[in-house]
Amino acid sequence: MKVLVAVKHTVDHNLKPFVDAATGQVDLSQARRGINPFDEISIEEAVRLKERGQVTEIVAVAIGGTDAKDSLRHAYAMGVDRALLVETDARLQPLAVAKLLKVIVEREQPGLIFMGKQAVGEDYGQTGQMLAALLGVGLGTFASGIQLGDGFVEVTREIDKGTQTISLQLPAVVTSDLRLNEPRFIKLPNLMMAKKKNIETLAASELGVDLANRFTVIKSSEPPQKPGAIQLANVNELINTLRKAEVLQ
Amino acid sequence: MSILVLAELDGNKLKGLAAHVVSAAAAWQQPIDLLVYGSQVDEAAKEAANLSGVARVLVAQADHFAHPLVEDVQDLVLSIAKEYSVIVGAHSVLGKSVIPAIAARLDVSPITDVVEIHAPSIYVRPEYAGNIFSRIENHQSLQIVTVRNTAFRPVSAGGNAEVVSISVPASRALSRWVKEDINHSDRPELGSARVVIAGGRSLGENFDALLSPIAEKLDAAIGATRACVDAGFAPNDLQVGQTGTLIAPDLYIAVGISGAMQHIAGIKDSKVVVAINHDPDAPIFKYADYGVIADLFTALPELDKALQ
Ligand SMILES: Cc1cc2nc3c(=O)[nH]c(=O)nc-3n(C[C@H](O)[C@H](O)[C@H](O)COP(=O)(O)OP(=O)(O)OC[C@H]3O[C@@H](n4cnc5c(N)ncnc54)[C@H](O)[C@@H]3O)c2cc1C
C-alpha cells in the first residue's frame, strides 16, 4: 500500500515573530524555516509502517516555493521513497492547499494520507479535515496511535478527558498529534544522500484549482507585554497577597 | 438569514461550551438556531432551549450520534446549511475536526479559533502560538467560524426557544467508533475550572502526590506541561498549552514550569498567574503576576500547610 504524507516548509517553532510596523504584517524575512514538526511525526509513522512491511511506498508532497525542497530532502533523509513539489510563490490559504492535495491524491491513489494536525505559523489547523471532506473519505484527527489493518486503519485520538479509538475505511486521512511517535534523528550521510535524490516539480497554477485567497489579514499585532511578576518572599506572603487581592478566599 | 450554532453533548447533557458559542454568535444580531445532535437528546434539548438568545433548538436524534463521527455531523449540517449565512462551532476537539470539513464541502474557507468578532465579517484570531493576534477580513458570503470559548462570556439561562426535530441523513459509515478511555476525576474540569494548579517535569514521579492535596483545598483542576506528560508523570489529558487544553481560570498557579511559548499560549487568558520556580530567570516570571523564587519541593508542602 502507498502512503502520501503532506509536508509544509514552515517557520521554526522556536521563532518569536514580530510585526513590521510599516506594513502591520508579521515579518518573516529573517525567519529560520524547516519542516513542520507535526509533518515530521507523520513521516516517522509512515516509515515505521514501511519498516513493518505494511506499506510499500511513501510519497512526500510539499506545496510552496523552491525553498520547500529543504523539507522534502529532510523527508527523503527520514526514509520516504519519492518527493513531489507543487510549486507556488503565493501564500496559499488552507482551502487552496486542500484542493491541490486532492489533485495529487487522485493522481497517486494512496491508501492512507498523513498530515500534521496543524502547521506551526498561522496555526489554522484545517487542511487535513478539508482534504478528507473534499475526497469524501474518513477522517481521524489528533492521532496519538494508529493500527493499520486490512482495508481499515484504527486511530486513537486525544479527546477532552482521555482517548478515543475509531476505525476508518481506507483510503482515509489521518492528522498527527505530538504524541504519535518521536521522530528519528537524521544521520548526516542520509542527509547528504537525500541531496542527490530527485524532486518532481509541478506548477500549482497548472493543476486546474482555484487558488484565490478567501480572506485577508488586515493587520497583525503583538499582544501587550505584562510588566513582569511581583516577587514575593515566600509562600505565606503569596497567600496573603492573593487573599488581599480577593483572588483567594 | 439566520445563524447556525453547533452544540456538543457530554453523555446526554449539553456541554457548557454552547453558552459561550451562542454568546459569540450574538455578534451578528440575527436569529440563532442551536443544533443539538445525539442518541438521547431530550435533556440536552431542554437545556439548550433555556439558553438566552437562542431562537430555535434543532434536534437531530439518531443512534449513530451516540458517539458523533465527523462524517455524520458533516452530512447533518450540510443537509440544512443552505438556510444560514453564518455557521459557528466551538474550537473544541469536535469543532476543530468538523467545522473545516463542513466548510470545504461548501467551498468556504473557515476562520478558526476566533477570539473577537466584529460582525459581519471581521475577526481577530491568535497565530504563532498566541504571539501574534491578526485581524482578518473574510470576503466570503457564507461565514464559517470556530470560536475560542474562553474569549466569550457565556449567555445566561432564562431563554425559551422553540424545539424543532429535524431529519437525519443516513450514515455513510466511512468510520466507526470503537472505544473511549476516559480518565474519571472528581476534580473540576481543566477547561472550565476557576482555579488551576499545574506542574512541570521537575515534579517527577511525585507529581500527583505533590499537587493533589493543594488542588483539593483550592477546588482546583490539575494541569501539566508537555515535558511532564511526555516523561510519563501525568496523563495526557492534563496537558495545558498550544497542543493541549486552553484554559482561562481566575487563578493559575505554575509550579516548576519554565514558561515555554507553547505552554504560555494555553494560559494567556488566565486572570491571575502565579509562578513558583527556583530559577529567577525562568521565562514564566515574565508572564506571571506574582512570583515566588523557591524550591518547589519545600514550597508545595508549605503551600499545602498554609491553606489548611
Ligand atoms: C510543536 C510544539 C508544541 C508544544 N506544545 C506544548 C503544549 O501544549 N504545552 C506545553 O506545556 N508544552 C508544549 N511544548 C513543549 C514546550 O516547548 C516545553 O518543552 C515544555 O512546556 C517545557 O515543560 P517544563 O516547563 O515542564 O520543562 P522545562 O522547560 O524543562 O522547565 C522546567 C522548569 O522547572 C524549574 N525547576 C526545576 N527544578 C525545580 C525545583 N526543584 N523547584 C522549582 N523549580 C524547578 C526549572 O527552573 C525550569 O524553569 C510544545 C513544543 C512544540 C515543539
Side-chain angles (χ1 to χ4, degrees):
Chain A
M1 192 186 80
K2 190 197 277 192
V3 172
L4 188 90
V5 186
V7 171
K8 183 168 181 181
H9 190 63
T10 190
V11 293
D12 185 89
H13 63 79
N14 288 317
L15 170 90
K16 186 105 171 79
F18 64 95
V19 174
D20 176 3
T23 61
Q25 303 282 335
V26 178
D27 183 351
L28 296 175
S29 54
Q30 307 299 318
R32 202 153 44 106
R33 284 167 191 271
I35 187 167
N36 178 35
F38 297 95
D39 300 340
E40 205 180 11
I41 293 169
S42 295
I43 295 171
E44 177 65 36
E45 200 63 22
V47 171
R48 289 186 191 183
L49 291 173
K50 193 176 169 201
E51 286 167 348
R52 263 181 256 139
Q54 289 186 286
V55 158
T56 50
E57 190 187 19
I58 307 168
V59 180
V61 54
I63 298 173
T66 47
D67 60 335
K69 286 184 177 170
D70 287 352
S71 284
L72 289 172
R73 289 198 190 95
H74 188 104
Y76 264 135
M78 287 183 73
V80 311
D81 300 293
R82 242 174 351 106
L84 204 82
L85 174 65
V86 179
E87 203 177 333
T88 172
D89 286 328
R91 267 182 84 179
L92 298 181
Q93 291 176 348
L95 182 60
V97 173
K99 288 178 177 180
L100 288 171
L101 288 172
K102 176 171 184 260
V103 174
I104 302 300
V105 168
E106 281 160 356
R107 186 183 105 148
E108 296 285 341
Q109 299 283 324
L112 185 59
I113 301 138
F114 274 121
M115 317 221 351
K117 75 164 185 182
Q118 69 161 96
V120 168
E122 288 98 347
D123 301 348
Y124 290 127
Q126 305 170 352
T127 315
Q129 298 87 307
M130 293 205 271
L131 177 62
L134 293 174
L135 290 167
V137 303
L139 169 68
T141 45
F142 315 117
S144 62
I146 74 157
Q147 288 276 347
L148 196 53
D150 192 9
F152 68 92
V153 60
E154 272 197 8
V155 179
T156 301
R157 323 170 51 223
E158 298 194 358
I159 58 170
D160 292 341
K161 286 183 263 173
T163 60
Q164 176 189 64
T165 304
I166 57 176
S167 174
L168 310 172
Q169 246 176 68
L170 298 180
V173 174
V174 173
T175 73
S176 307
D177 212 327
L178 283 174
R179 266 178 287 277
L180 183 56
N181 60 50
E182 211 161 302
R184 64 198 59 198
F185 189 73
I186 294 183
K187 299 192 190 84
L188 197 60
N190 289 11
L191 206 54
M192 298 311 281
M193 247 149 45
K195 291 217 160 97
K196 298 197 193 92
K197 299 234 167 108
N198 180 48
I199 294 174
E200 187 190 343
T201 303
L202 304 167
S205 56
E206 283 166 22
L207 296 179
V209 166
D210 169 18
L211 300 177
N213 282 350
R214 303 299 187 86
F215 56 87
T216 324
V217 176
I218 312 170
K219 188 178 176 335
S220 293
S221 52
E222 293 160 35
Q225 297 289 324
K226 281 198 164 185
I230 297 170
Q231 293 293 358
L232 302 168
N234 54 47
V235 164
N236 287 315
E237 201 176 304
L238 170 69
I239 294 201
N240 290 339
T241 308
L242 292 177
R243 287 203 170 120
K244 233 179 263 161
E246 293 183 10
V247 183
L248 277 185
Q249 274 106 34
Chain B
M1 288 284 259
S2 27
I3 320 265
L4 181 66
V5 171
L6 275 62
E8 294 180 24
L9 302 198
D10 185 4
N12 294 333
K13 289 178 101 57
L14 192 71
K15 275 195 193 169
L17 285 174
H20 296 265
V21 187
V22 167
S23 157
W28 282 276
Q29 303 186 313
Q30 298 287 325
I32 294 172
D33 285 355
L34 182 58
L35 175 62
V36 176
Y37 47 88
S39 57
Q40 298 282 329
V41 291
D42 291 350
E43 188 184 347
K46 269 198 209 108
E47 294 173 280
N50 197 24
L51 291 178
S52 63
V54 177
R56 293 195 304 170
V57 175
L58 307 184
V59 175
Q61 182 160 304
D63 290 344
H64 65 251
F65 282 142
H67 302 284
L69 293 157
V70 171
E71 299 78 28
D72 295 330
V73 181
Q74 221 183 99
D75 291 349
L76 174 66
V77 174
L78 262 288
S79 73
I80 54 172
K82 61 175 184 307
E83 321 210 355
Y84 299 95
S85 53
V86 180
I87 300 176
V88 194
H91 198 65
S92 58
V93 172
L94 188 58
K96 285 190 259 191
S97 303
V98 82
I99 288 281
I102 291 164
R105 296 216 12 224
L106 293 163
D107 196 30
V108 168
S109 203
I111 313 291
T112 44
D113 201 11
V114 162
V115 296
E116 250 178 64
I117 301 172
H118 303 273
S121 59
I122 309 263
Y123 304 89
V124 176
R125 63 182 297 280
E127 300 183 337
Y128 301 87
N131 280 297
I132 295 287
F133 283 79
S134 283
R135 203 175 175 84
I136 285 178
E137 177 163 16
N138 187 0
H139 306 294
Q140 306 166 105
S141 55
L142 176 57
Q143 311 269 319
I144 304 186
V145 179
T146 66
V147 297
R148 185 179 285 207
N149 65 309
T150 54
F152 298 90
R153 236 169 217 291
V155 294
S156 52
N160 186 17
E162 179 192 359
V163 177
V164 182
S165 280
I166 63 169
S167 60
V168 176
S171 173
R172 283 182 284 159
L174 291 169
S175 58
R176 185 169 58 80
W177 180 89
V178 179
K179 63 169 182 178
E180 274 172 19
D181 293 308
I182 300 298
N183 300 322
H184 293 283
S185 151
D186 297 332
R187 292 215 185 86
E189 221 173 286
L190 185 55
S192 54
R194 215 187 58 78
V195 181
V196 175
I197 181 164
R201 72 170 129 204
S202 43
L203 274 72
E205 299 287 351
N206 289 326
F207 179 87
D208 202 55
L210 286 163
L211 295 183
S212 278
I214 300 170
E216 197 130 316
K217 293 187 183 78
L218 293 173
D219 193 25
I222 293 185
T225 62
R226 177 185 170 203
C228 180
V229 171
D230 284 356
F233 302 143
N236 61 28
D237 54 301
L238 295 196
Q239 183 172 316
V240 171
Q242 183 194 11
T243 44
T245 304
L246 305 174
I247 61 171
D250 292 343
L251 174 61
Y252 179 65
I253 307 175
V255 184
I257 291 177
S258 60
M261 112 185 172
Q262 295 88 357
H263 185 79
I264 299 298
I267 64 158
K268 276 206 165 128
D269 295 329
S270 307
K271 283 213 186 87
V272 174
V273 175
V274 169
I276 301 175
N277 198 305
H278 68 182
D279 175 6
D281 295 324
I284 187 78
F285 287 129
K286 283 196 293 230
Y287 302 98
D289 300 286
Y290 301 105
V292 179
I293 299 166
D295 186 286
L296 67 92
F297 295 103
T298 52
L300 284 175
E302 277 170 25
L303 184 58
D304 185 38
K305 223 169 109 202
L307 289 169
Q308 250 152 19

